[in-house]
Amino acid sequence: QVQLVESGGGLGQAGGSLRLSCKASEPTFNLYGLAWFRQAPGKEREFVAAISRSGLATQSADSVKDRFTLSRVNAENTVYLQMNSLKPEDTAVYYCAARFDPLGDDYPIKEYLYRYWGQGTQVTVSS
């Protein structure tokens, strides 16, 4: 079973930056599409960004698309979420998710399409 471990969360300042990492214990990492979701207190989990198996296609939520950048480095079995221009509204637990996609190159936004999930990392942005 694929294991995902997030890191890089913590306390950020409004207007500042944080970089989240998600490392997978999976030798065929290049066959998986990856995504980030987040969940704020009292709210349901929402889509943040997704990247396809090849890394050639990405999709981001409107709330973050001009501020967050998703990338992957297959040689490191790692996907990164660079978060710039942080806002207090970005405060949430951020989750990394993966889906086996050996025959496609998709980047869905629906959480039920992702089978494997990390434990999450807390991001808190002060005003």
Side-chain angles (χ1 to χ4, degrees), residues 32-105:
Y32 290 79
L34 296 147
W36 286 92
F37 295 80
R38 68 185 183 185
Q39 187 169 23
K43 297 184 178 180
E44 65 181 28
R45 188 158 53 193
E46 65 176 354
F47 170 77
V48 177
I51 188 166
S52 68
R53 173 180 59 81
S54 69
L56 297 177
T58 60
Q59 181 175 191
S60 300
D62 290 341
S63 60
V64 307
K65 64 182 180 181
D66 294 326
R67 301 182 295 118
F68 293 4
T69 301
L70 184 63
S71 62
R72 65 189 294 165
V73 181
N74 288 347
E76 300 177 357
N77 283 11
T78 301
V79 61
Y80 298 97
L81 183 67
Q82 178 68 47
M83 305 187 295
N84 298 325
S85 301
L86 287 168
K87 302 177 180 180
E89 304 89 88
D90 296 321
T91 296
V93 176
Y94 284 71
Y95 297 91
C96 178
R99 61 185 295 268
F100 189 51
D101 190 26
L103 302 179
D105 200 28

